Amino acid sequence: MRILHLDTNHPLMLEQLGQAGYENVEDYHSSKEVIEQKIDQFEGMILRSRFPIDRKFLEKASRLKFIGRVGAGLENIDQDAAWELGVKLINAPEGNANAVGEHNLGMLLMLINRLQITDREVRNGLWLREENRGVELDNMTVGLVGYGHMGKAFAKKLQGFECRVICYDIQSDVGDQFAHQVSLEELKRESDVISLHVPLTDETRGIIDQAFIKSLSKPVWLLNTARGRCVVTADLVKALDSGKVLGAGLDVLEYEKRSFESLFENGIPEAFQALLDHPNVVLSPHVAGWTHESKEKLAQTIVNKILALNLI
């Protein structure tokens, strides 16, 4: 069986799949149109987020049995078409969950201790101590929206603090010893920190908007390492200016291209410029799950799931 690899990954992937009897074909540069013309030659395909996989593409993949997505989200693939055509979708949220949990904790600690502000001030010769008193995570309530692999990883990281962790999820009975499951209304009412851990779906697109923020019972710190389009940036900026959101840690942005490789096509949006100018915002370039360790874990997870299909 032949597997087409569209993105580079950890070397163990090619090595172990080759040892298992698969023929690996690498094509990291051809256009989608070129790939589309030859995809009927392959039983498997592995990618990160090089380009969207739509119904037209899948209909040309007459021999395709699986697609391995080296990451968590599958929104770049037409999942309904894949299911109808009998193409198995494999992802690897287990592979970078730990990395995302650590990144979340780092951003939160930066925000509540004003580290992104004080670092700049000291570098510019300012030594402002009283103005930069932080607040402690102990005794806060951290609300996790979504409690899958990523949410659980963050909840585990919070166990070293004396904080309360609650979670909301569309699945029932997902709470555990690390987080108590509550309704969305209770999460909005009780949380001092809200952290997003959801896939991008019709239900989660723009979930953090003016109406959501207005329904909060108190000001919150907001973290997003999920998908940028889950947050309406213009509404977040207004909430930061009003104090309804105390600070935001954003690893993902509403303006990212679907390939996640470049931000802007037509200049910097006004709302994003406001984020850049706001002191209580920490930004990173979609790297929460992008560690040296997670690169290996993601590849190994995909390999294990392919081998478990027993196609050879």
Side-chain angles (χ1 to χ4, degrees), residues 136-156:
E136 297 181 14
L137 182 53
D138 286 22
N139 300 317
M140 286 189 186
T141 295
V142 179
L144 310 179
V145 180
Y147 201 59
H149 291 283
M150 308 301 174
K152 290 178 185 293
F154 186 32
K156 290 178 183 178

Side-chain angles (χ1 to χ4, degrees), residues 294-312:
S294 71
K295 182 177 182 179
E296 179 174 353
K297 292 176 185 177
L298 286 165
Q300 189 64 66
T301 299
I302 293 295
V303 169
N304 292 345
K305 290 184 177 182
I306 291 172
L307 298 182
L309 295 176
N310 293 317
L311 297 176
I312 294 182

Side-chain angles (χ1 to χ4, degrees), residues 280-291:
N280 292 334
V281 172
V282 173
L283 301 170
S284 56
H286 205 135
V287 293
W290 202 255
T291 64

